[in-house]
Amino acid sequence: MKTRIATSAYQEMLKTVGSQPAEAGGLLFGSREDWVITKFLYDKNAHTTRTTYSFDVGYLNPMIEKLGKEGLELLGFFHSHPTHYTELSNADREYFQRQFKNIPVNKFLTPLMFPAIDGTYDFIPYVFHKDGRVERTELDILPDDYTTHMVHNMDVEFSEYVFPPIQQSRRLTFGIYLMGLVCILCTGVLLFILGALQVIYTHLEFILNI
């Protein structure tokens, strides 16, 4: 499984949380049809210490409603940890587990970041499942127009890159040209056969008339 993030959303995460000491964070938005993060909402007024982070629900809840009207769905939660704290804390897990009562999903995207300002940068993409499992995934940064570059398969996972439209157009043009060439060759062969049969028929008719 991969955690997929559009480039602009990832850059916003770096610009905000990545430039602040741990802890800082915000919310991840996109579509639950493909689970690609297309927007990051920075929790600018979060209640934090160097080792704890609490969401500012007074700011975030109205924003969730506002973004929902724009077609964006909450996909998960993102925050930074002090360097070397590579796992979700018990407080993190308890908070995420409580959110399943409010949001009808079976998983949340819950990546962690070590901000470079603390000395070492790292990004750890986690998925927190409703049954309590924490899954570490691969990070995949996509172009903002990723839907024109990738194919959606039955598992709601993007399976592979496809040729851009211009390359598809060239393939189509080549195919039409090849089909035309084959038709011309077949027509030439048919005309040759008909001509040969005409010559044979004329020759036989001449012999029979002698």
Side-chain angles (χ1 to χ4, degrees), residues 6 31 34 36 38 142-152 158 160-162 165:
S31 170
D34 57 28
V36 174
T38 57
L142 305 180
D144 286 345
D145 60 343
Y146 67 91
T147 54
T148 64
H149 294 272
M150 304 191 76
V151 175
H152 196 272
F158 288 101
E160 60 182 350
Y161 285 96
V162 298

Side-chain angles (χ1 to χ4, degrees), residues 160-179:
E160 60 182 350
Y161 285 96
V162 298
F163 291 98
I166 187 171
Q167 292 179 322
Q168 289 179 331
S169 177
R170 289 172 180 168
R171 282 189 150 202
L172 181 60
T173 302
F174 177 76
I176 293 173
Y177 172 81
L178 183 60
M179 289 178 63

Side-chain angles (χ1 to χ4, degrees), residues 104-173:
V105 294
N106 292 318
K107 65 180 179 181
F108 289 121
L109 306 181
T110 57
L112 293 178
M113 177 187 284
F114 298 150
I117 196 171
D118 284 345
T120 302
Y121 171 79
D122 199 2
F123 191 100
I124 307 175
Y126 284 121
V127 175
F128 187 83
H129 294 272
K130 193 172 184 177
D131 61 8
R133 288 182 299 114
V134 177
E135 179 182 6
R136 183 165 180 168
T137 66
E138 297 180 28
L139 176 62
D140 193 7
I141 306 299
L142 305 180
D144 286 345
D145 60 343
Y146 67 91
T147 54
T148 64
H149 294 272
M150 304 191 76
V151 175
H152 196 272
N153 69 14
M154 293 299 292
D155 296 323
V156 197
E157 287 282 341
F158 288 101
S159 57
E160 60 182 350
Y161 285 96
V162 298
F163 291 98
I166 187 171
Q167 292 179 322
Q168 289 179 331
S169 177
R170 289 172 180 168
R171 282 189 150 202
L172 181 60
T173 302

Side-chain angles (χ1 to χ4, degrees), residues 170-191:
R170 289 172 180 168
R171 282 189 150 202
L172 181 60
T173 302
F174 177 76
I176 293 173
Y177 172 81
L178 183 60
M179 289 178 63
L181 183 60
V182 170
C183 289
I184 292 172
L185 291 174
C186 290
T187 301
V189 171
L190 181 60
L191 291 174

